[in-house]
PDB file of all heavy atoms in Angstrom:
ATOM      1  N   TYR O  78       0.843  -7.674 -15.001  1.00 66.00           N
ATOM      2  CA  TYR O  78       0.036  -8.411 -14.059  1.00 66.00           C
ATOM      3  C   TYR O  78       0.913  -8.903 -12.922  1.00 66.00           C
ATOM      4  O   TYR O  78       2.127  -8.800 -12.971  1.00 66.00           O
ATOM      5  CB  TYR O  78      -0.639  -9.521 -14.756  1.00 66.00           C
ATOM      6  CG  TYR O  78       0.192 -10.686 -15.102  1.00 66.00           C
ATOM      7  CD1 TYR O  78       0.387 -11.735 -14.260  1.00 66.00           C
ATOM      8  CD2 TYR O  78       1.031 -10.718 -16.323  1.00 66.00           C
ATOM      9  CE1 TYR O  78       1.143 -12.822 -14.586  1.00 66.00           C
ATOM     10  CE2 TYR O  78       1.820 -11.766 -16.595  1.00 66.00           C
ATOM     11  CZ  TYR O  78       1.903 -12.946 -15.698  1.00 66.00           C
ATOM     12  OH  TYR O  78       2.650 -13.921 -16.036  1.00 66.00           O
ATOM     13  N   TRP O  79       0.204  -9.361 -11.898  1.00 71.00           N
ATOM     14  CA  TRP O  79       0.905  -9.973 -10.747  1.00 71.00           C
ATOM     15  C   TRP O  79       0.021 -11.058 -10.196  1.00 71.00           C
ATOM     16  O   TRP O  79      -1.105 -11.207 -10.429  1.00 71.00           O
ATOM     17  CB  TRP O  79       1.218  -8.931  -9.634  1.00 71.00           C
ATOM     18  CG  TRP O  79       0.040  -8.138  -9.286  1.00 71.00           C
ATOM     19  CD1 TRP O  79      -0.916  -8.565  -8.421  1.00 71.00           C
ATOM     20  CD2 TRP O  79      -0.320  -6.827  -9.668  1.00 71.00           C
ATOM     21  NE1 TRP O  79      -1.892  -7.560  -8.297  1.00 71.00           N
ATOM     22  CE2 TRP O  79      -1.490  -6.437  -9.055  1.00 71.00           C
ATOM     23  CE3 TRP O  79       0.266  -5.955 -10.538  1.00 71.00           C
ATOM     24  CZ2 TRP O  79      -2.103  -5.308  -9.276  1.00 71.00           C
ATOM     25  CZ3 TRP O  79      -0.338  -4.696 -10.738  1.00 71.00           C
ATOM     26  CH2 TRP O  79      -1.497  -4.357 -10.099  1.00 71.00           C
ATOM     27  N   ARG O  80       0.663 -11.958  -9.456  1.00 74.00           N
ATOM     28  CA  ARG O  80       0.016 -13.041  -8.813  1.00 74.00           C
ATOM     29  C   ARG O  80      -0.298 -12.819  -7.336  1.00 74.00           C
ATOM     30  O   ARG O  80       0.342 -11.904  -6.709  1.00 74.00           O
ATOM     31  CB  ARG O  80       0.906 -14.308  -8.858  1.00 74.00           C
ATOM     32  CG  ARG O  80       1.161 -14.811 -10.255  1.00 74.00           C
ATOM     33  CD  ARG O  80       1.944 -16.088 -10.254  1.00 74.00           C
ATOM     34  NE  ARG O  80       2.351 -16.544 -11.557  1.00 74.00           N
ATOM     35  CZ  ARG O  80       1.556 -17.164 -12.425  1.00 74.00           C
ATOM     36  NH1 ARG O  80       0.411 -17.453 -12.006  1.00 74.00           N
ATOM     37  NH2 ARG O  80       1.970 -17.516 -13.555  1.00 74.00           N
ATOM     38  N   ARG O  81      -1.264 -13.496  -6.746  1.00 75.00           N
ATOM     39  CA  ARG O  81      -1.643 -13.305  -5.432  1.00 75.00           C
ATOM     40  C   ARG O  81      -0.452 -13.531  -4.484  1.00 75.00           C
ATOM     41  O   ARG O  81       0.296 -14.451  -4.678  1.00 75.00           O
ATOM     42  CB  ARG O  81      -2.770 -14.282  -5.029  1.00 75.00           C
ATOM     43  CG  ARG O  81      -3.217 -14.057  -3.594  1.00 75.00           C
ATOM     44  CD  ARG O  81      -4.338 -15.055  -3.245  1.00 75.00           C
ATOM     45  NE  ARG O  81      -5.496 -14.555  -4.032  1.00 75.00           N
ATOM     46  CZ  ARG O  81      -6.505 -15.398  -4.265  1.00 75.00           C
ATOM     47  NH1 ARG O  81      -6.528 -16.574  -3.816  1.00 75.00           N
ATOM     48  NH2 ARG O  81      -7.536 -14.929  -5.038  1.00 75.00           N
ATOM     49  N   GLY O  82      -0.249 -12.555  -3.554  1.00 81.00           N
ATOM     50  CA  GLY O  82       0.844 -12.613  -2.611  1.00 81.00           C
ATOM     51  C   GLY O  82       2.126 -11.947  -3.064  1.00 81.00           C
ATOM     52  O   GLY O  82       3.033 -11.799  -2.323  1.00 81.00           O
ATOM     53  N   GLN O  83       2.172 -11.630  -4.381  1.00 85.00           N
ATOM     54  CA  GLN O  83       3.353 -10.889  -4.938  1.00 85.00           C
ATOM     55  C   GLN O  83       3.378  -9.420  -4.412  1.00 85.00           C
ATOM     56  O   GLN O  83       2.394  -8.826  -4.236  1.00 85.00           O
ATOM     57  CB  GLN O  83       3.243 -10.945  -6.453  1.00 85.00           C
ATOM     58  CG  GLN O  83       4.528 -10.432  -7.117  1.00 85.00           C
ATOM     59  CD  GLN O  83       4.425 -10.563  -8.599  1.00 85.00           C
ATOM     60  OE1 GLN O  83       3.628 -11.247  -9.141  1.00 85.00           O
ATOM     61  NE2 GLN O  83       5.271  -9.959  -9.350  1.00 85.00           N
ATOM     62  N   ARG O  84       4.568  -8.983  -4.210  1.00 88.00           N
ATOM     63  CA  ARG O  84       4.763  -7.505  -3.812  1.00 88.00           C
ATOM     64  C   ARG O  84       4.791  -6.695  -5.113  1.00 88.00           C
ATOM     65  O   ARG O  84       5.506  -7.119  -6.056  1.00 88.00           O
ATOM     66  CB  ARG O  84       5.985  -7.346  -3.051  1.00 88.00           C
ATOM     67  CG  ARG O  84       5.875  -8.024  -1.643  1.00 88.00           C
ATOM     68  CD  ARG O  84       7.114  -7.868  -0.873  1.00 88.00           C
ATOM     69  NE  ARG O  84       6.978  -8.647   0.421  1.00 88.00           N
ATOM     70  CZ  ARG O  84       7.729  -8.538   1.396  1.00 88.00           C
ATOM     71  NH1 ARG O  84       8.880  -7.845   1.224  1.00 88.00           N
ATOM     72  NH2 ARG O  84       7.505  -9.209   2.490  1.00 88.00           N
ATOM     73  N   VAL O  85       4.186  -5.588  -5.080  1.00 87.00           N
ATOM     74  CA  VAL O  85       4.030  -4.720  -6.243  1.00 87.00           C
ATOM     75  C   VAL O  85       4.137  -3.234  -5.774  1.00 87.00           C
ATOM     76  O   VAL O  85       3.943  -2.909  -4.611  1.00 87.00           O
ATOM     77  CB  VAL O  85       2.723  -4.872  -7.028  1.00 87.00           C
ATOM     78  CG1 VAL O  85       2.637  -6.273  -7.609  1.00 87.00           C
ATOM     79  CG2 VAL O  85       1.537  -4.552  -6.219  1.00 87.00           C
ATOM     80  N   ARG O  86       4.505  -2.364  -6.723  1.00 87.00           N
ATOM     81  CA  ARG O  86       4.487  -0.960  -6.513  1.00 87.00           C
ATOM     82  C   ARG O  86       3.513  -0.391  -7.571  1.00 87.00           C
ATOM     83  O   ARG O  86       3.592  -0.793  -8.741  1.00 87.00           O
ATOM     84  CB  ARG O  86       5.827  -0.257  -6.657  1.00 87.00           C
ATOM     85  CG  ARG O  86       6.727  -0.481  -5.519  1.00 87.00           C
ATOM     86  CD  ARG O  86       7.881   0.440  -5.491  1.00 87.00           C
ATOM     87  NE  ARG O  86       8.598   0.412  -4.205  1.00 87.00           N
ATOM     88  CZ  ARG O  86       9.675  -0.457  -3.908  1.00 87.00           C
ATOM     89  NH1 ARG O  86      10.124  -1.227  -4.759  1.00 87.00           N
ATOM     90  NH2 ARG O  86      10.118  -0.335  -2.721  1.00 87.00           N
ATOM     91  N   LEU O  87       2.730   0.532  -7.146  1.00 88.00           N
ATOM     92  CA  LEU O  87       1.761   1.169  -8.188  1.00 88.00           C
ATOM     93  C   LEU O  87       2.167   2.603  -8.413  1.00 88.00           C
ATOM     94  O   LEU O  87       2.243   3.453  -7.553  1.00 88.00           O
ATOM     95  CB  LEU O  87       0.340   1.211  -7.502  1.00 88.00           C
ATOM     96  CG  LEU O  87      -0.187  -0.273  -7.186  1.00 88.00           C
ATOM     97  CD1 LEU O  87      -1.494  -0.146  -6.404  1.00 88.00           C
ATOM     98  CD2 LEU O  87      -0.283  -1.165  -8.404  1.00 88.00           C
ATOM     99  N   GLN O  88       2.540   2.886  -9.654  1.00 89.00           N
ATOM    100  CA  GLN O  88       3.078   4.106 -10.085  1.00 89.00           C
ATOM    101  C   GLN O  88       2.141   4.893 -10.856  1.00 89.00           C
ATOM    102  O   GLN O  88       1.619   4.373 -11.897  1.00 89.00           O
ATOM    103  CB  GLN O  88       4.414   3.957 -10.788  1.00 89.00           C
ATOM    104  CG  GLN O  88       5.132   5.320 -11.139  1.00 89.00           C
ATOM    105  CD  GLN O  88       6.411   5.029 -11.823  1.00 89.00           C
ATOM    106  OE1 GLN O  88       6.607   4.034 -12.549  1.00 89.00           O
ATOM    107  NE2 GLN O  88       7.373   5.952 -11.623  1.00 89.00           N
ATOM    108  N   HIS O  89       1.876   6.247 -10.571  1.00 89.00           N
ATOM    109  CA  HIS O  89       0.988   7.060 -11.358  1.00 89.00           C
ATOM    110  C   HIS O  89       1.692   7.370 -12.701  1.00 89.00           C
ATOM    111  O   HIS O  89       2.849   7.707 -12.767  1.00 89.00           O
ATOM    112  CB  HIS O  89       0.749   8.359 -10.593  1.00 89.00           C
ATOM    113  CG  HIS O  89      -0.346   9.086 -11.120  1.00 89.00           C
ATOM    114  ND1 HIS O  89      -0.093  10.014 -12.216  1.00 89.00           N
ATOM    115  CD2 HIS O  89      -1.641   9.224 -10.875  1.00 89.00           C
ATOM    116  CE1 HIS O  89      -1.270  10.684 -12.519  1.00 89.00           C
ATOM    117  NE2 HIS O  89      -2.244  10.213 -11.719  1.00 89.00           N
ATOM    118  N   ALA O  90       0.940   7.185 -13.792  1.00 90.00           N
ATOM    119  CA  ALA O  90       1.444   7.306 -15.156  1.00 90.00           C
ATOM    120  C   ALA O  90       1.983   8.715 -15.471  1.00 90.00           C
ATOM    121  O   ALA O  90       2.963   8.928 -16.102  1.00 90.00           O
ATOM    122  CB  ALA O  90       0.476   6.859 -16.134  1.00 90.00           C
ATOM    123  N   ASP O  91       1.232   9.804 -14.986  1.00 92.00           N
ATOM    124  CA  ASP O  91       1.565  11.102 -15.277  1.00 92.00           C
ATOM    125  C   ASP O  91       2.644  11.713 -14.346  1.00 92.00           C
ATOM    126  O   ASP O  91       3.534  12.437 -14.811  1.00 92.00           O
ATOM    127  CB  ASP O  91       0.357  12.008 -15.290  1.00 92.00           C
ATOM    128  CG  ASP O  91      -0.616  11.707 -16.471  1.00 92.00           C
ATOM    129  OD1 ASP O  91      -0.147  11.171 -17.544  1.00 92.00           O
ATOM    130  OD2 ASP O  91      -1.813  11.882 -16.278  1.00 92.00           O
ATOM    131  N   THR O  92       2.463  11.530 -13.103  1.00 91.00           N
ATOM    132  CA  THR O  92       3.370  12.149 -12.048  1.00 91.00           C
ATOM    133  C   THR O  92       4.646  11.355 -11.748  1.00 91.00           C
ATOM    134  O   THR O  92       5.605  11.874 -11.266  1.00 91.00           O
ATOM    135  CB  THR O  92       2.638  12.410 -10.796  1.00 91.00           C
ATOM    136  OG1 THR O  92       2.291  11.194 -10.168  1.00 91.00           O
ATOM    137  CG2 THR O  92       1.379  13.271 -11.040  1.00 91.00           C
ATOM    138  N   GLY O  93       4.531   9.970 -11.977  1.00 89.00           N
ATOM    139  CA  GLY O  93       5.663   9.075 -11.569  1.00 89.00           C
ATOM    140  C   GLY O  93       5.721   8.833 -10.115  1.00 89.00           C
ATOM    141  O   GLY O  93       6.605   8.119  -9.633  1.00 89.00           O
ATOM    142  N   LEU O  94       4.712   9.355  -9.327  1.00 89.00           N
ATOM    143  CA  LEU O  94       4.715   9.093  -7.882  1.00 89.00           C
ATOM    144  C   LEU O  94       4.126   7.715  -7.683  1.00 89.00           C
ATOM    145  O   LEU O  94       3.400   7.119  -8.400  1.00 89.00           O
ATOM    146  CB  LEU O  94       3.875  10.134  -7.205  1.00 89.00           C
ATOM    147  CG  LEU O  94       4.408  11.531  -7.310  1.00 89.00           C
ATOM    148  CD1 LEU O  94       3.487  12.522  -6.623  1.00 89.00           C
ATOM    149  CD2 LEU O  94       5.768  11.714  -6.681  1.00 89.00           C
ATOM    150  N   TYR O  95       4.422   7.088  -6.477  1.00 89.00           N
ATOM    151  CA  TYR O  95       4.012   5.779  -6.120  1.00 89.00           C
ATOM    152  C   TYR O  95       2.903   5.889  -5.029  1.00 89.00           C
ATOM    153  O   TYR O  95       3.019   6.653  -4.053  1.00 89.00           O
ATOM    154  CB  TYR O  95       5.184   4.958  -5.524  1.00 89.00           C
ATOM    155  CG  TYR O  95       6.181   4.661  -6.661  1.00 89.00           C
ATOM    156  CD1 TYR O  95       7.174   5.509  -6.968  1.00 89.00           C
ATOM    157  CD2 TYR O  95       6.095   3.384  -7.330  1.00 89.00           C
ATOM    158  CE1 TYR O  95       8.104   5.244  -7.934  1.00 89.00           C
ATOM    159  CE2 TYR O  95       6.938   3.138  -8.327  1.00 89.00           C
ATOM    160  CZ  TYR O  95       8.039   4.066  -8.622  1.00 89.00           C
ATOM    161  OH  TYR O  95       8.887   3.738  -9.633  1.00 89.00           O
ATOM    162  N   LEU O  96       1.909   5.036  -5.171  1.00 89.00           N
ATOM    163  CA  LEU O  96       0.836   4.935  -4.159  1.00 89.00           C
ATOM    164  C   LEU O  96       1.372   4.388  -2.879  1.00 89.00           C
ATOM    165  O   LEU O  96       2.127   3.390  -2.842  1.00 89.00           O
ATOM    166  CB  LEU O  96      -0.247   4.014  -4.651  1.00 89.00           C
ATOM    167  CG  LEU O  96      -1.528   3.882  -3.922  1.00 89.00           C
ATOM    168  CD1 LEU O  96      -2.277   5.339  -4.080  1.00 89.00           C
ATOM    169  CD2 LEU O  96      -2.420   2.886  -4.393  1.00 89.00           C
ATOM    170  N   ALA O  97       1.145   5.046  -1.743  1.00 87.00           N
ATOM    171  CA  ALA O  97       1.684   4.699  -0.448  1.00 87.00           C
ATOM    172  C   ALA O  97       0.627   4.793   0.677  1.00 87.00           C
ATOM    173  O   ALA O  97      -0.393   5.366   0.496  1.00 87.00           O
ATOM    174  CB  ALA O  97       2.865   5.624  -0.107  1.00 87.00           C
ATOM    175  N   VAL O  98       0.966   4.136   1.799  1.00 83.00           N
ATOM    176  CA  VAL O  98       0.131   4.222   2.912  1.00 83.00           C
ATOM    177  C   VAL O  98       0.802   4.953   4.063  1.00 83.00           C
ATOM    178  O   VAL O  98       1.975   4.957   4.069  1.00 83.00           O
ATOM    179  CB  VAL O  98      -0.320   2.788   3.480  1.00 83.00           C
ATOM    180  CG1 VAL O  98      -1.265   2.127   2.482  1.00 83.00           C
ATOM    181  CG2 VAL O  98       0.786   2.012   3.811  1.00 83.00           C
ATOM    182  N   ALA O  99       0.021   5.512   5.030  1.00 75.00           N
ATOM    183  CA  ALA O  99       0.588   6.211   6.122  1.00 75.00           C
ATOM    184  C   ALA O  99       0.215   5.369   7.365  1.00 75.00           C
ATOM    185  O   ALA O  99      -0.952   5.613   7.791  1.00 75.00           O
ATOM    186  CB  ALA O  99       0.153   7.618   6.152  1.00 75.00           C
ATOM    187  N   PRO O 100       0.930   4.393   7.803  1.00 71.00           N
ATOM    188  CA  PRO O 100       0.512   3.520   8.856  1.00 71.00           C
ATOM    189  C   PRO O 100       0.154   4.209  10.167  1.00 71.00           C
ATOM    190  O   PRO O 100      -0.563   3.641  10.986  1.00 71.00           O
ATOM    191  CB  PRO O 100       1.647   2.507   8.992  1.00 71.00           C
ATOM    192  CG  PRO O 100       2.781   3.168   8.412  1.00 71.00           C
ATOM    193  CD  PRO O 100       2.319   4.079   7.325  1.00 71.00           C
ATOM    194  N   LYS O 101       0.763   5.398  10.387  1.00 75.00           N
ATOM    195  CA  LYS O 101       0.500   6.133  11.617  1.00 75.00           C
ATOM    196  C   LYS O 101      -0.871   6.818  11.544  1.00 75.00           C
ATOM    197  O   LYS O 101      -1.290   7.313  12.554  1.00 75.00           O
ATOM    198  CB  LYS O 101       1.630   7.039  11.925  1.00 75.00           C
ATOM    199  CG  LYS O 101       2.885   6.314  12.286  1.00 75.00           C
ATOM    200  CD  LYS O 101       3.984   7.237  12.723  1.00 75.00           C
ATOM    201  CE  LYS O 101       5.241   6.507  13.033  1.00 75.00           C
ATOM    202  NZ  LYS O 101       6.340   7.365  13.413  1.00 75.00           N
ATOM    203  N   SER O 102      -1.411   6.949  10.363  1.00 74.00           N
ATOM    204  CA  SER O 102      -2.656   7.682  10.099  1.00 74.00           C
ATOM    205  C   SER O 102      -3.801   6.615  10.014  1.00 74.00           C
ATOM    206  O   SER O 102      -4.369   6.419   8.937  1.00 74.00           O
ATOM    207  CB  SER O 102      -2.578   8.542   8.955  1.00 74.00           C
ATOM    208  OG  SER O 102      -1.579   9.547   9.030  1.00 74.00           O
ATOM    209  N   VAL O 103      -4.206   6.009  11.146  1.00 74.00           N
ATOM    210  CA  VAL O 103      -5.224   4.974  11.130  1.00 74.00           C
ATOM    211  C   VAL O 103      -6.445   5.703  11.812  1.00 74.00           C
ATOM    212  O   VAL O 103      -6.314   6.332  12.823  1.00 74.00           O
ATOM    213  CB  VAL O 103      -4.812   3.806  12.012  1.00 74.00           C
ATOM    214  CG1 VAL O 103      -5.969   2.751  12.000  1.00 74.00           C
ATOM    215  CG2 VAL O 103      -3.643   3.095  11.340  1.00 74.00           C
ATOM    216  N   TYR O 104      -7.586   5.482  11.137  1.00 73.00           N
ATOM    217  CA  TYR O 104      -8.802   6.160  11.598  1.00 73.00           C
ATOM    218  C   TYR O 104      -9.819   5.163  12.059  1.00 73.00           C
ATOM    219  O   TYR O 104      -9.799   4.033  11.603  1.00 73.00           O
ATOM    220  CB  TYR O 104      -9.409   7.016  10.459  1.00 73.00           C
ATOM    221  CG  TYR O 104      -8.438   7.970   9.940  1.00 73.00           C
ATOM    222  CD1 TYR O 104      -7.759   7.787   8.730  1.00 73.00           C
ATOM    223  CD2 TYR O 104      -8.126   9.197  10.615  1.00 73.00           C
ATOM    224  CE1 TYR O 104      -6.839   8.676   8.235  1.00 73.00           C
ATOM    225  CE2 TYR O 104      -7.225  10.086  10.092  1.00 73.00           C
ATOM    226  CZ  TYR O 104      -6.575   9.862   8.992  1.00 73.00           C
ATOM    227  OH  TYR O 104      -5.670  10.767   8.515  1.00 73.00           O
ATOM    228  N   GLY O 105     -10.693   5.534  12.965  1.00 73.00           N
ATOM    229  CA  GLY O 105     -11.726   4.700  13.525  1.00 73.00           C
ATOM    230  C   GLY O 105     -13.063   4.909  12.843  1.00 73.00           C
ATOM    231  O   GLY O 105     -13.976   4.041  12.930  1.00 73.00           O
ATOM    232  N   ASN O 106     -13.258   6.006  12.161  1.00 74.00           N
ATOM    233  CA  ASN O 106     -14.489   6.315  11.436  1.00 74.00           C
ATOM    234  C   ASN O 106     -14.203   6.790  10.029  1.00 74.00           C
ATOM    235  O   ASN O 106     -13.263   7.496   9.748  1.00 74.00           O
ATOM    236  CB  ASN O 106     -15.279   7.468  12.279  1.00 74.00           C
ATOM    237  CG  ASN O 106     -15.752   6.965  13.573  1.00 74.00           C
ATOM    238  OD1 ASN O 106     -16.321   5.928  13.627  1.00 74.00           O
ATOM    239  ND2 ASN O 106     -15.537   7.765  14.602  1.00 74.00           N
ATOM    240  N   PRO O 107     -15.010   6.517   9.058  1.00 73.00           N
ATOM    241  CA  PRO O 107     -16.245   5.778   9.142  1.00 73.00           C
ATOM    242  C   PRO O 107     -15.974   4.217   9.199  1.00 73.00           C
ATOM    243  O   PRO O 107     -16.826   3.439   9.523  1.00 73.00           O
ATOM    244  CB  PRO O 107     -16.998   6.114   7.863  1.00 73.00           C
ATOM    245  CG  PRO O 107     -16.000   6.493   6.924  1.00 73.00           C
ATOM    246  CD  PRO O 107     -14.837   7.057   7.696  1.00 73.00           C
ATOM    247  N   ILE O 108     -14.805   3.793   8.837  1.00 76.00           N
ATOM    248  CA  ILE O 108     -14.475   2.360   8.723  1.00 76.00           C
ATOM    249  C   ILE O 108     -13.317   2.083   9.696  1.00 76.00           C
ATOM    250  O   ILE O 108     -12.175   2.621   9.591  1.00 76.00           O
ATOM    251  CB  ILE O 108     -14.047   1.928   7.379  1.00 76.00           C
ATOM    252  CG1 ILE O 108     -15.162   2.272   6.332  1.00 76.00           C
ATOM    253  CG2 ILE O 108     -13.631   0.494   7.350  1.00 76.00           C
ATOM    254  CD1 ILE O 108     -14.735   2.017   4.890  1.00 76.00           C
ATOM    255  N   PRO O 109     -13.541   1.321  10.807  1.00 77.00           N
ATOM    256  CA  PRO O 109     -12.388   1.026  11.781  1.00 77.00           C
ATOM    257  C   PRO O 109     -11.269   0.449  11.004  1.00 77.00           C
ATOM    258  O   PRO O 109     -11.339  -0.519  10.165  1.00 77.00           O
ATOM    259  CB  PRO O 109     -13.066  -0.019  12.674  1.00 77.00           C
ATOM    260  CG  PRO O 109     -14.541   0.273  12.577  1.00 77.00           C
ATOM    261  CD  PRO O 109     -14.745   0.679  11.144  1.00 77.00           C
TER     262      PRO O 109
END
Side-chain angles (χ1 to χ4, degrees):
Y78 73 93
W79 51 80
R80 297 185 185 277
R81 182 176 294 161
Q83 185 176 350
R84 293 179 181 186
V85 297
R86 283 195 169 92
L87 303 172
Q88 185 178 29
H89 191 276
D91 292 332
T92 66
L94 298 175
Y95 292 86
L96 192 66
V98 294
K101 292 183 180 181
S102 300
V103 178
Y104 304 102
N106 291 312
I108 302 169

